[in-house]
Amino acid sequence: MILSVSRRTDIPNYYSEWFFNRIREGFVYVRNPMNAHQVSRIDITPEVVDCIVFWTKNPEPMLQRLDELDAYNYYFQFTLTGYGKDVECNIPHKKEKMIPIFRELSKKIGMNKVIWRYDPIIFTKKYTPENHLKAFEQIAAALKGYTGKCVISFVDFYAKNKKNMELLGAYEIDKNELMEFARRLAEIAKKNGMAIGSCAKRIDLNECGIEHNCCIDKVLIENMAGSRIKAGKDKNQRKECGCIESVEIGAYNTCMNGCKYCYANYSGESVADNYRKYDPKLPMLCGTLEKNDKLTKRKVRSLKEWQLSIFDLWKEGGDSIP
């Protein structure tokens, strides 16, 4: 299986001690967000985990403990934008703090295992297209040689973030302006040695030089695993999403980053309440089993395909199929 750590919260930044404890013990409890009393026990040993995908805005708490992951394949989706604390409230200074951390992580694990995310892109009076292009160019230049790929997305308006988007004065630009903006992003990325892809967008940006991206990327994972991965599209994501299926171990209403565009937090009060429940020794993130909970062991397995197909034998053997 592919382990997602995590689309719902920033585990590397705030809950890395809990995660390393789970790795050491080999299992985790995850509460079903759609059925609060349904809890899954999920094995996360190297025998069943083919790759871990980390999502974070600050992996610094993990940097000195990465050797504990030597038995696993993994890579990081590292979000680094041009927003200030008016949008990303609890993220340290980008130039002084986050860019050096990005570079340090890249040096430790390799540039192909650190993907830069410049997302979501929000247009406001302060964060205009020109402002974004300036910030994007500065960050891209600073990360040149430290990553080979950048992923962008444009903000989605959900009921959970609509009020904050209105308070920020967020607006949409027309298609022609958007396409020109995307072309300029692609030119900057190319200049700095990066491929660029878009995340789960309905609009086709291929003509701008921006490919449709898969954040949980089958090709990248197969290259890391050294084998084919038998996995289909993740049915739990939007139809525009190209990610393959994964197992999510995070929890909503637990991220302390305080980003105004966040869809994973319902309220600051809920986040604070859940954070008070955090105990790194417990198998569940920010909670514990309750009286009416039903604990079920989830069936998980490796997705690797070790048996060679006829096509594989043909590729290895020559021009004709035996």
Side-chain angles (χ1 to χ4, degrees):
M1 69 172 169
I2 313 302
L3 204 62
S4 174
V5 186
S6 155
R7 282 186 173 100
R8 298 173 185 166
T9 189
D10 195 334
I11 288 176
N13 194 2
Y14 298 103
Y15 305 110
S16 61
E17 185 180 357
W18 172 83
F19 177 73
F20 283 118
N21 286 340
R22 294 298 90 225
I23 287 292
R24 186 173 64 253
E25 295 191 32
F27 72 95
V28 61
Y29 289 174
V30 179
R31 190 177 296 280
N32 186 334
M34 307 303 293
N35 185 343
H37 290 296
Q38 183 178 349
V39 178
S40 296
R41 184 191 191 280
I42 303 169
D43 288 342
I44 55 171
T45 61
E47 289 73 28
V48 296
V49 175
D50 301 303
C51 187
I52 304 171
V53 182
F54 293 105
W55 315 71
T56 186
K57 289 185 172 69
N58 185 3
E60 185 178 27
M62 293 186 68
L63 291 181
Q64 305 309 315
R65 300 185 64 179
L66 291 172
D67 60 323
E68 296 177 41
L69 300 176
D70 284 350
Y72 296 84
N73 296 309
Y74 63 91
Y75 63 96
F76 281 79
Q77 301 270 352
F78 192 140
T79 298
L80 187 52
T81 68
Y83 298 120
K85 290 187 177 295
D86 55 330
V87 177
E88 295 177 342
C89 304
N90 297 323
I91 306 302
H93 194 280
K94 308 298 175 59
K95 185 176 181 180
E96 295 175 2
K97 184 79 171 179
M98 299 317 306
I99 287 174
I101 289 172
F102 192 109
R103 290 172 169 172
E104 183 179 355
L105 178 63
S106 177
K107 288 177 182 177
K108 283 179 176 290
I109 68 175
M111 63 181 290
N112 293 328
K113 294 170 68 175
V114 189
I115 295 167
W116 169 36
R117 300 184 69 90
Y118 188 93
D119 80 306
I121 297 171
I122 307 168
F123 298 116
T124 70
K125 286 184 178 180
K126 180 177 180 180
Y127 299 104
T128 63
E130 284 302 320
N131 178 280
H132 277 294
L133 289 167
K134 181 179 179 181
F136 186 85
E137 186 160 27
Q138 289 175 345
I139 298 171
L143 300 184
K144 185 176 183 178
Y146 293 94
T147 184
K149 188 170 188 178
C150 174
V151 175
I152 65 163
S153 75
F154 298 94
V155 72
D156 287 311
F157 291 78
Y158 297 96
K160 299 169 190 174
N161 70 1
K162 183 179 179 181
K163 183 178 180 180
N164 281 337
M165 290 299 98
E166 291 174 349
L167 290 173
L168 288 171
Y171 65 87
E172 296 182 281
I173 60 178
D174 65 43
K175 184 177 179 180
N176 290 336
E177 189 177 1
L178 180 64
M179 298 299 277
E180 177 58 26
F181 175 79
R183 271 190 282 271
R184 292 178 67 183
L185 289 178
E187 290 169 0
I188 294 168
K190 184 178 180 180
K191 182 175 70 174
N192 288 283
M194 302 172 192
I196 185 169
S198 63
C199 178
K201 293 292 107 180
R202 295 183 182 91
I203 188 169
D204 186 353
L205 299 177
N206 282 329
E207 66 180 81
C208 306
I210 298 177
E211 62 187 13
H212 184 68
N213 179 69
C214 304
C215 300
I216 298 187
D217 188 339
K218 183 180 181 186
V219 174
L220 175 58
I221 293 170
E222 286 180 333
N223 288 338
M224 294 174 65
S227 70
R228 287 190 175 185
I229 296 293
K230 188 177 182 179
K233 182 188 180 317
D234 192 334
K235 297 177 182 178
N236 294 317
Q237 304 301 322
R238 292 166 289 174
K239 66 178 183 179
E240 297 85 11
C241 178
C243 292
I244 60 172
E245 58 195 284
S246 62
V247 175
E248 170 65 53
I249 66 167
Y252 291 117
N253 287 310
T254 58
C255 187
M256 301 289 286
N257 284 331
C259 302
K260 298 298 185 184
Y261 49 74
C262 183
Y263 65 87
N265 289 341
Y266 308 149
S267 71
E269 292 80 9
S270 297
V271 173
D273 182 57
N274 285 327
Y275 191 70
R276 282 191 289 269
K277 300 174 185 175
Y278 172 55
D279 183 338
K281 299 182 183 68
L282 295 178
M284 186 186 298
L285 181 62
C286 296
T288 187
L289 285 177
E290 299 173 1
K291 181 179 179 180
N292 296 323
D293 287 343
K294 180 181 179 181
L295 180 63
T296 305
K297 185 172 182 178
R298 181 168 176 172
K299 294 180 180 179
V300 293
R301 61 180 179 82
S302 171
L303 302 174
K304 294 177 182 177
E305 288 187 302
W306 293 112
Q307 187 172 357
L308 291 176
S309 67
I310 293 176
F311 178 68
D312 293 318
L313 292 170
W314 171 65
K315 285 199 301 181
E316 292 184 4
D319 296 330
S320 60
I321 298 177

